[in-house]
Amino acid sequence: MFRRIGNVVVRHPVWTIVAWLIAAVAIVATAPSLPSNSDESSFLPKSYESIKAAELQEKAFPSAFTPSAIALYQRTDGGRLTAADRKDVARITSELGGKHIDQVQKVVPGQPSKDGKYAMTLVQMDSKNAGQPKQVDAAKELRKDVKDLAKGTHLDVKLGGSAAQALDQEDSSKRGQALIGIGTFVIILVTLLIIFRAPILAVLPLLLIGLVSAIANGLIAYATKLFDLQANSSISSILIVVLFGVGTDYFLFLMFRYRERLRAGDEPKQAMVNAVDRVGEAIASAAGAVIIAFLALVLSTLGFLKQMGPALAIAVGATLIAGLTLIPAVVSLIGPKVFWPSKSWQKEPENARFAALGRGVQRRPALTAVLSGLVLVVLSLGTLGFNATFDLASGSMPKTKESMVVQDEMQQAYSAGAAAPTDVYLSSTDGKPLDRAAFGAYAQKLGAVEGVANARMAQVNKAGTTADFTVTLKYEASTDKAIDAVGQVRDVAHSAAPDGTEALVGGMSSIFKDIDSAVTHDYRTVFPVAALLIMVILGLLLRSVVAPWYLIASVGLGFGATLGATVWIFQKGQGHSGLMFMLPVIMYLFVVAIGTDYNILMIARLREEAREGREPREAAGMALRHAGPTVAAAGFILAATFATMMLAGNALLTEMGFAVSFGIAVAAFVMAMFFTPSLTALIGHAAWWPGHGDQAKPTASGAGTGPSDASGGDGRDSVTHDPAGRRG
């Protein structure tokens, strides 16, 4: 199949390129915009208690005041607010409400702090548009207006709250995307220049993947709208890295093999056909593993991950098609001039370093397997200290952003849990009015829960069938202590509910509690499903039921080593309270799926060498000699491009950038180069049972060659193997 694809593309390169350009123009011109949502509650399904509580609150208390933005005032000298200052706050609040800004429903004064140094203005917006562009625009206008109204006073005012966080997150995301884009561009350009010493080859993947990126983003926007998926601004930053990182990987897989076929004496166009034929299966299998792993995220209960899975799968799918059609078409059109001015494509270098590494694996496979495996196991021990944090807003932007400063100052000025109180909604199950005489005792039981600062009955709906009890925790909403406390509040709220009533617990801590449960569900569902599907792909590629087991086990060890190293760096080294809650899921999929790419490339090459008649140990050594440079180059570029995410300046992308780049480095330089080939050498022919995929297949002349090495009058490879061990 891949030979046929190569033949069609190489024979009609211009039409292939034109087809891609037409598709790009059509998709980009008609694709809808991709909205962003930073509201954690929108990522949970309706079956969770916190979401049920939010829906009940909207029905029972439709006019309940829930601030979307908070203007926080303090004196410029840091002192207590004077009477004149309080008058200024009241004036600003009144004038701000009189501006009738779009999306703003109410503007009311808030409570002053106990120390008298802070005052608030609370702004309620349309909850249906939380996190959407129109509300972000409203927050931007609010921030400007409130600062303008405070001019000439002794007040310093900052805008916080969920709407302001969405605004700051969008701004931070744009800055992060710019830095990531520039960093990715520079790394790929410089690294390819060093590898090939050819400016055309350095620039070409950036241009081609840029075209693929535009198409992929349009397709993702279509999918997001069609299936009503949630979107998050962090996805755009991840997409940049995935598209350029994975795209460059496939570009390198193809170009290294194309150069190898030229060195073997193939005519330029035939060299590209043979390159696609030989490496196409490895690229398709590698991309298939990544796509399936990403699609496994559809099984997640979190909307953020549900949207990320199909988005990344679409991106990799577009990159795969480009790797098999667009890239071969463009390169075959240019021909060997693509390597200009370097002439290294004309002769094979000694590859002394990788040849030496290959000989080491060939001579001492057991020692290599033990040492590389020991490195992975030791790093994996760090996973025992893993702890999760759940505040997506503060994790996706720097602490210096205005809304984050407001959040921190409010926690100091008011009780830690006051900024996001917990609500217990007590409702009658038979539609009759509640017994108000029982409210006092119920509130007292809620207030007695460990970790609760106070609890009180706040309001009852008009029908008297639902009561709202406000429970203020002693801890900030996203902390472990708050999540543990709200779990106890739920237990008491449910067990102490009077006969004929039921209780639902809402609020941010309750949402984080449910997110914690959802992530635990995802660990138990997404992980094994993704691993099983990747094993199926490996089994189909290698025609073996043995190799997939130790290959996926090695990648699992790589995941453990990556998570352990991330825990040691950020929790132990930098003193973070924990890592972002979705990091292990994302890291597992990136490290397992993309890490499998390098295992696939190495094991496929090892099989080719074995089909030449080499014994398992020699085949492992030769595979490392010839595939090692490709894995090293691809692994370095992909790890470095993911590392650019650390430039974004927020906890989520910094942790993700380090974890994924470290995991890919482990996958390329520990697993694929040493652990996998040494294990395969030790297991020997049994690794290919029951397919015996390593055995040479007889040709018409009786020579032992693989299926892509068969030669005859069909114009296929004219050179398959030479005495020096050079391979195509």
Side-chain angles (χ1 to χ4, degrees):
M1 180 180 75
F2 296 104
R3 173 167 289 275
R4 286 197 294 272
I5 292 172
N7 272 318
V8 170
V9 168
V10 170
R11 286 175 184 170
H12 309 286
V14 175
W15 285 113
T16 303
I17 297 167
V18 168
W20 271 91
L21 291 174
I22 292 173
V25 171
I27 292 171
V28 171
T30 59
S33 60
L34 188 65
S36 177
N37 197 337
S38 60
D39 178 14
E40 287 90 341
S41 66
S42 67
F43 298 141
L44 285 168
K46 294 181 179 180
S47 59
Y48 282 86
E49 182 170 347
S50 59
I51 306 305
K52 289 180 179 179
E55 291 177 343
L56 176 60
Q57 181 260 317
E58 289 183 3
K59 292 178 182 177
F61 308 102
S63 60
F65 190 91
T66 305
S68 299
I70 301 171
L72 185 66
Y73 307 88
Q74 67 179 129
R75 282 186 61 85
T76 53
D77 59 11
R80 291 173 62 89
L81 296 174
T82 65
D85 294 331
R86 289 192 289 274
K87 284 184 180 179
D88 285 330
V89 171
R91 174 186 59 80
I92 293 170
T93 302
S94 176
E95 292 183 15
L96 199 62
K99 287 184 175 291
H100 303 295
I101 297 171
D102 181 44
Q103 296 296 305
V104 173
Q105 296 175 330
K106 288 183 183 178
V107 180
V108 301
Q111 292 292 322
S113 62
K114 291 180 180 179
D115 60 10
K117 292 184 177 181
Y118 292 88
M120 293 188 295
T121 293
L122 307 178
V123 181
Q124 179 176 286
M125 297 186 186
D126 186 352
S127 61
K128 295 179 182 178
N129 294 321
Q132 297 305 309
K134 59 177 67 177
Q135 212 160 95
V136 171
D137 292 340
K140 188 174 184 179
E141 189 174 350
L142 270 172
R143 180 172 284 170
K144 178 182 180 299
D145 288 348
V146 76
K147 290 181 185 296
D148 288 343
L149 291 170
K151 287 180 179 177
T153 70
H154 295 288
L155 296 172
D156 176 48
V157 59
K158 302 181 187 72
L159 191 75
S162 59
Q165 287 175 355
L167 172 62
D168 289 341
Q169 189 180 46
E170 182 182 87
D171 179 65
S172 178
S173 176
K174 287 179 180 177
R175 175 182 174 274
Q177 285 180 42
L179 289 172
I180 290 169
I182 294 169
T184 299
F185 184 91
V186 170
I187 287 169
I188 293 175
L189 186 67
V190 172
T191 307
L192 290 178
L193 275 172
I194 293 172
I195 292 172
F196 292 107
R197 296 186 294 280
I200 297 175
L201 264 183
V203 174
L204 194 58
L206 296 170
L207 297 176
L208 298 182
I209 299 167
L211 177 65
V212 176
S213 174
I215 293 174
N217 274 291
L219 293 174
I220 290 164
Y222 272 121
T224 300
K225 184 176 181 180
L226 181 63
F227 298 105
D228 194 28
L229 299 170
Q230 297 292 343
N232 184 275
S233 55
S234 298
I235 291 176
S236 298
S237 300
I238 298 169
L239 276 174
I240 293 172
V241 178
V242 169
L243 282 162
F244 281 88
V246 173
T248 304
D249 263 13
Y250 299 160
F251 180 83
L252 285 172
F253 290 0
L254 189 66
M255 292 311 300
F256 269 94
R257 189 57 71 100
Y258 175 58
R259 186 174 66 178
E260 201 169 338
R261 294 311 310 161
L262 288 173
R263 287 169 176 169
D266 288 1
E267 181 272 328
K269 289 190 178 296
Q270 190 61 42
M272 180 54 73
V273 173
N274 292 337
V276 173
D277 179 32
R278 291 189 176 227
V279 86
E281 186 179 24
I283 290 177
S285 300
V290 178
I291 290 169
I292 281 182
F294 287 158
L295 285 178
L297 283 175
V298 172
L299 300 175
S300 170
T301 50
L302 294 172
F304 169 67
L305 295 177
K306 274 181 178 288
Q307 197 273 348
M308 179 182 285
L312 296 179
I314 289 169
V316 176
T319 308
L320 166 63
I321 296 171
L324 296 176
T325 59
L326 180 62
I327 293 173
V330 173
V331 174
S332 66
L333 202 60
I334 300 172
K337 291 180 181 178
V338 76
F339 296 103
W340 179 88
S342 172
K343 298 186 183 299
S344 62
W345 65 272
Q346 296 176 350
K347 60 178 181 178
E348 182 182 6
E350 292 298 323
N351 275 345
R353 293 174 187 170
F354 289 97
L357 291 175
R359 287 193 297 270
V361 170
Q362 180 178 338
R363 292 169 183 168
R364 299 181 181 85
L367 179 63
T368 304
V370 169
L371 290 178
S372 54
L374 190 61
V375 169
L376 299 176
V377 170
V378 169
L379 287 173
S380 297
L381 295 176
T383 59
L384 300 175
F386 171 73
N387 187 47
T389 57
F390 296 89
D391 190 353
L392 186 60
S394 63
S396 56
M397 71 184 95
K399 288 289 186 182
T400 53
K401 285 293 184 181
E402 187 170 324
S403 59
M404 291 295 97
V405 174
V406 170
Q407 179 174 287
D408 292 341
E409 289 182 350
M410 283 190 64
Q411 289 174 20
Q412 296 171 9
Y414 301 83
S415 64
T422 296
D423 290 289
V424 178
Y425 299 102
L426 187 69
S427 302
S428 64
T429 55
D430 55 9
K432 296 179 180 179
L434 296 167
D435 179 9
R436 300 192 180 216
F439 288 174
Y442 189 66
Q444 190 174 6
K445 289 179 181 178
L446 293 174
V449 174
E450 185 178 353
V452 173
N454 61 74
R456 60 184 179 84
M457 200 286 290
Q459 57 185 331
V460 181
N461 69 340
K462 291 180 180 179
T465 55
T466 301
D468 175 12
F469 293 82
T470 299
V471 178
T472 304
L473 303 178
K474 296 178 180 178
Y475 319 110
E476 194 275 320
S478 64
T479 61
D480 291 339
K481 290 182 177 179
I483 293 169
D484 291 340
V486 86
Q488 296 180 49
V489 168
R490 281 185 178 182
D491 292 340
V492 172
H494 297 159
S495 62
D499 292 339
T501 67
E502 65 176 1
L504 292 173
V505 180
M508 287 309 302
S509 294
S510 185
I511 289 170
F512 291 135
K513 176 72 175 175
D514 286 340
I515 288 176
D516 190 17
S517 300
V519 170
T520 301
H521 166 272
D522 290 350
Y523 290 165
R524 295 172 180 172
T525 306
V526 176
F527 283 20
V529 168
L532 180 63
L533 292 175
I534 290 173
M535 283 182 65
V536 169
I537 283 186
L538 289 171
L540 292 173
L541 169 68
L542 303 174
R543 282 77 168 175
S544 166
V545 296
V546 176
W549 285 99
Y550 68 83
L551 289 176
I552 204 69
S554 71
V555 177
L557 269 178
F559 164 76
T562 303
L563 181 57
T566 308
V567 168
W568 273 330
I569 293 291
F570 290 97
Q571 287 185 213
K572 308 298 183 184
Q574 297 189 11
H576 290 195
S577 61
L579 304 177
M580 291 305 296
F581 67 89
M582 81 281 282
L583 184 63
V585 176
I586 295 171
M587 188 174 65
Y588 173 85
L589 292 166
F590 276 99
V591 174
V592 170
I594 298 177
T596 303
D597 280 10
Y598 303 130
N599 268 346
I600 286 174
L601 188 69
M602 185 62 73
I603 205 76
R605 186 58 186 250
L606 194 153
R607 182 181 62 178
E608 278 192 46
E609 299 295 341
R611 283 177 170 176
E612 290 296 326
R614 295 185 172 91
E615 286 302 309
R617 294 194 178 194
E618 184 187 2
M622 293 302 294
L624 182 52
R625 174 186 173 182
H626 292 294
T630 310
V631 170
F636 173 80
I637 289 178
L638 193 58
T641 51
F642 270 104
T644 61
M645 294 170 69
M646 299 172 70
L647 300 173
N650 65 65
L652 173 61
L653 291 179
T654 298
E655 291 172 3
M656 193 184 300
F658 171 81
V660 178
S661 61
F662 184 86
I664 288 168
V666 167
F669 297 100
V670 179
M671 288 191 302
M673 282 203 192
F674 299 105
F675 196 60
T676 297
S678 60
L679 276 180
T680 307
L682 283 173
I683 296 171
H685 295 293
W688 309 97
W689 184 87
H692 305 295
D694 64 329
Q695 293 185 4
K697 295 184 179 181
T699 63
S701 61
T705 59
S708 65
D709 295 325
S711 58
D714 59 356
R716 300 188 66 162
D717 295 358
S718 58
V719 178
T720 60
H721 175 239
D722 68 10
R726 289 190 292 271
R727 291 283 299 113

